[in-house]
Amino acid sequence: MGIKVLAVANQKGGVGKTTTALSLGAALHRLGKRTVVMDLDPHACASIHLAHYPEDLTHTVLDIFYAEKDALPELWTRVLNREEVPGFDFAAASIRLSELEMDLKSRPGRGAIFKEALELLPEDYDYIVLDCPPHVGVLLVNALVASDLVIIPIQTDFLALHGLRLIFDTIRTLNRVLPQPIRFRALPTMFDRRAGACRRVLNLLRKKLGDKMFETVINLDTNFREASAKGKVIYEIDEKSRGAIEYSLLAKEIIAHENA
Ligand SMILES: Nc1ncnc2c1ncn2[C@@H]1O[C@H](COP(=O)(O)OP(=O)(O)OP(=O)(O)O)[C@@H](O)[C@H]1O
Ligand SMILES: [Mg+2]
């Protein structure tokens, strides 16, 4: 079946990208999939969440962008951390990732650097989950180009629908130059079933996106906030919580889809 790269992306901020990357990574691991989560956001939220503080790190995904091809397999072993809990491997971000834009400006093929580097990973993984930054740029492009599937978390409120076009425009622009179109599916997040507005947004999304939406819906769950405050994933807070169960459903939906 080969490695599957899942990029979690939306240019809209605060829609649940980082929560999805970490929770889905943990869910895939719990289903027996060899999984690595990588933080491609200069804000390093996922890294800080897992207590990898940018100021203390000697090796981050940033190094991968500057490495010679020959050096990559060994460099990956330094960049990858084994997280006993939640169980996946993890590659942390550097705040200097924000400088990549300038540094790579004149590098030919700069959008495919990460895709090529992932081919030299020394470990056999089933899934690579990429947490993307909330803005367009060379990092997002590298993540999208490397991906087999883009997961687009969409917060189910009306304001969140504004700005949603941005991510679809980015995908469409890239598809004009890529040999294969980027596959994507939207994931409704922070759904509040008691709120009529939320239900209307969900119906609207289903109508507009059809099978480009996951069946799984991630509901509001205060356990996510508690998890991030404690530097844990939701399974460590309460594996029977709604949020934990829903990310397991999402993982199963993704696995089933690959096998279909
Ligand atoms: N299903 C949920 N229920 C309740 N809170 C949630 C849920 N998903 C995420 N959150 C909370 O919402 C906030 C934003 O989530 P998160 O950091 O995952 O978004 P993001 O898209 O990665 O943001 P950014 O664009 O800044 O990177 C966090 O405090 C997180 O704990
Ligand atoms: Mg984030």
Side-chain angles (χ1 to χ4, degrees):
M1 193 174 85
I3 299 188
K4 292 288 167 206
V5 182
L6 311 171
V8 185
N10 188 339
Q11 277 119 303
K12 186 112 182 88
V15 295
K17 293 181 290 295
T18 299
T19 305
T20 297
L22 293 173
S23 309
L24 176 61
L28 287 166
H29 167 78
R30 289 165 61 92
L31 291 168
K33 300 296 177 187
R34 291 159 301 178
T35 305
V36 57
V37 179
M38 300 189 180
D39 187 356
L40 290 180
D41 186 350
H43 295 120
C45 291
S47 306
I48 294 164
H49 187 130
L50 295 175
H52 294 285
Y53 302 104
E55 56 276 21
D56 301 337
L57 301 175
T58 48
H59 295 284
T60 69
V61 289
L62 179 68
D63 305 325
I64 299 299
F65 284 88
Y66 295 110
E68 297 289 336
K69 208 172 167 182
D70 296 345
L72 272 167
E74 205 264 339
L75 185 60
W76 272 122
T77 64
R78 292 171 194 271
V79 171
L80 294 168
N81 302 283
R82 196 150 303 240
E83 307 292 320
E84 291 306 327
V85 191
F88 48 64
D89 284 2
F90 183 74
S94 158
I95 49 172
R96 289 193 297 116
L97 278 169
S98 59
E99 293 162 21
L100 269 183
E101 204 66 53
M102 289 296 282
D103 287 0
L104 299 179
K105 212 166 187 157
S106 54
R107 173 113 66 104
R110 62 184 173 280
I113 296 172
F114 206 67
K115 180 185 175 69
E116 286 163 17
L118 287 179
E119 281 156 18
L120 294 169
L121 269 171
E123 300 271 334
D124 276 336
Y125 292 110
D126 298 310
Y127 287 97
I128 300 173
V129 185
L130 305 175
D131 185 19
C132 298
H135 44 256
V136 199
V138 74
L139 274 166
L140 181 64
V141 169
N142 267 274
L144 296 180
V145 168
S147 67
D148 296 294
L149 178 67
V150 180
I151 298 170
I152 306 174
I154 299 177
Q155 197 182 338
T156 40
D157 70 37
F158 271 106
L159 275 179
L161 294 180
H162 291 276
L164 187 60
R165 263 190 49 205
L166 271 173
I167 183 74
F168 292 111
D169 287 347
T170 306
I171 290 176
R172 217 170 296 126
T173 308
L174 283 172
N175 281 349
R176 287 197 203 108
V177 296
L178 290 174
Q180 275 182 11
I182 293 170
R183 290 174 55 217
F184 68 87
R185 259 188 289 163
L187 173 70
T189 61
M190 302 187 210
F191 182 67
D192 181 353
R193 61 179 67 228
R194 290 163 309 176
C198 268
R199 292 199 303 272
R200 285 194 292 280
V201 170
L202 186 62
N203 288 336
L204 190 73
L205 285 171
R206 289 226 186 276
K207 212 153 87 197
K208 286 212 176 262
L209 294 172
D211 64 356
K212 293 277 185 272
M213 279 247 297
F214 286 105
E215 276 172 40
T216 308
V217 174
I218 309 295
N219 280 258
L220 269 182
D221 187 337
T222 51
N223 286 298
F224 287 111
R225 267 175 226 284
E226 196 181 333
S228 80
K230 291 188 172 155
K232 297 182 169 178
V233 297
I234 191 158
Y235 296 95
E236 299 165 65
I237 302 295
D238 181 358
E239 60 174 16
K240 299 235 156 49
S241 62
R242 178 182 280 251
I245 290 167
E246 285 165 349
Y247 274 106
S248 294
L249 286 174
L250 176 66
K252 284 179 192 155
E253 200 181 333
I254 288 169
I255 294 167
H257 205 258
E258 299 303 342
N259 295 333

